[in-house]
Structures are given as C-alpha cells and as structure tokens.
C-alpha cells in the first residue's frame, strides 16, 4: 500500500533536504512500480507487445491470407485471375502477403523474412535442381532450414504446383489436305 505524506506547510516554503529526498524516493517508487505491474501481468504485457508490433495490421493480413487460401482451394482459377501468391506481378487483389514459392522469381525468395542470404540461395538452387516443393516440411528438409526460419515462413508461403504452360495447337503444313492411303469402304 502506498501513501503520501505531505511535508511542508505552505506553497511559499522551500523544500528542505530531507523533504526533497522523501519526495524523490516516493516518485522513484511510484515510477518503478508501474513497469513492475506490467511485467507481472501476463495479459497486459501481451497486449502491449501486440500494440508495439503492429498487431492489428498483422491480424488484418492474417485474415486476408486465410481468405486467399480459401479462394485458391474453392476456385483454382483465382490463381491466374487474382495472381495470388505473386507479389512480383502487378495486381489489384491484396492476398495479405502470400508467396507462391514455386512460381516467384529468385529476388522475391531472397526477400522473405527469416531467411538469410545463403538460405535463400539454397532454396532457389534446390528448386531449380529438384523441382517444386509440396509443403513447408519438404522445403525445410530439402534446404535444411532451422525451426526459427520455418516458423516465420509458415504463414506466408503457399505451395502451388507450377502453372501448366499452354500447348499451342498443332499446325498442319501448307498444301492440300492429306488423305488416307489405305482403301476404305468408300474407296473406289
């Protein structure tokens, strides 16, 4: 319990040495008590950390990532239409920062949070040599990523198979149409 002892009789009186020391001790106790209460109260500390880290913005991006994943699952054509997971391409849809690790260029992978430069280079080289990744666990095991790196990437990365390249229709050589050489029913 804290209480204040008012020392001195009027406002015109000057504070003496012992009175000033007493006021200084009281202020120091009060100022150091506030952080002590914050550190002991876990909920209050978590709330303050969330404010410090920009938690409302992070929650909004997390919800956008979940909705973008839902769209990819329900409507696979949204991949090309909305360019989900492709921060390197111009787009109007905000997917919350998702990155399709199998489709993005190398410079996007090197900018991923939690990866060192050498780890990002290892991911790029492994993707070129051994093909696309199917899950976070496969990425971590193939590239020997530490748990700290995979935890920071788990919410951001998606693992879509590479988009099929459109095959042009076969073109026939110029000239008269080719007919069958073998006689058929209508051959005369």
């Amino acid at each position: 319990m804290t209480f204040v002892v008012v020392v001195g009789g009027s406002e015109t009186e000057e504070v003496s040495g012992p009175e000033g020391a007493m006021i200084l001790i009281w202020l120091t106790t009060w100022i150091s008590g506030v952080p002590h209460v914050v550190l002991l109260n876990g909920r209050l500390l978590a709330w303050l950390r969330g404010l410090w880290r920009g938690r409302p913005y992070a929650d909004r991006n997390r919800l956008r990532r979940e909705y973008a994943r839902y769209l990819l699952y329900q409507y696979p054509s949204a991949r090309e239409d909305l360019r989900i997971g492709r921060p390197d391409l111009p787009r109007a849809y905000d997917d919350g920062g998702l990155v399709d690790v199998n489709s993005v260029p190398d410079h996007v992978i090197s900018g991923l949070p939690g990866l060192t430069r050498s780890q990002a280079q290892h991911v790029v080289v492994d993707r070129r040599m051994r093909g696309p990744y199917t899950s976070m666990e496969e990425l971590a095991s193939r590239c020997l990523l530490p748990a700290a790196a995979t935890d920071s990437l788990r919410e951001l990365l998606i693992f879509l198979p590479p988009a099929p390249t459109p095959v042009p229709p076969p073109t026939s050589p110029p000239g008269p149409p080719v007919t069958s050489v073998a006689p058929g029913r209508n051959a005369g």
Side-chain angles (χ1 to χ4, degrees), residues 65 85-87 97-121 123-124 127 133 136 139 145 148-150 152-159:
R65 287 191 295 267
R86 295 298 306 268
L98 287 177
V99 176
D100 180 11
V101 74
N102 293 324
S103 300
V104 295
D106 303 346
H107 67 87
V108 176
I109 291 177
S110 63
L112 289 173
L115 284 183
T116 64
R117 185 179 175 136
S118 63
Q119 290 169 340
Q121 287 175 346
V123 169
V124 169
R127 181 180 68 173
Y133 302 104
M136 187 69 213
L139 173 70
L145 296 177
T150 58
S152 65
L153 295 174
R154 192 171 300 279
E155 288 241 351
L156 295 178
L157 296 183
I158 54 176
F159 301 89

Side-chain angles (χ1 to χ4, degrees), residues 67-117:
Y67 187 66
R69 283 188 172 106
Y70 170 79
L71 282 175
L72 285 173
Y73 180 73
Q74 295 296 325
Y75 307 102
S77 65
R79 175 184 184 176
E80 287 84 24
D81 298 340
L82 300 176
R83 297 178 177 161
I84 295 175
R86 295 298 306 268
D88 57 312
L89 299 176
R91 57 191 176 161
Y93 179 72
D94 182 12
D95 61 7
L98 287 177
V99 176
D100 180 11
V101 74
N102 293 324
S103 300
V104 295
D106 303 346
H107 67 87
V108 176
I109 291 177
S110 63
L112 289 173
L115 284 183
T116 64
R117 185 179 175 136

Side-chain angles (χ1 to χ4, degrees), residues 4 10-12 19 28 42 49 57-58 67 73 87 91 99 134 139-141 166 169-170 174:
V4 178
S10 72
E11 295 178 14
T12 59
E19 291 172 347
T28 305
R49 282 184 183 158
Y57 182 72
Y67 187 66
Y73 180 73
R91 57 191 176 161
V99 176
T134 58
L139 173 70
S141 66

Side-chain angles (χ1 to χ4, degrees), residues 39-51:
L39 291 174
L40 288 179
N41 188 341
R43 280 193 208 158
L44 183 60
L45 185 61
W47 180 76
L48 288 173
R49 282 184 183 158
L51 286 179

Side-chain angles (χ1 to χ4, degrees), residues 163-180:
T165 56
V167 178
T171 58
S172 58
V178 179
T179 59
S180 172

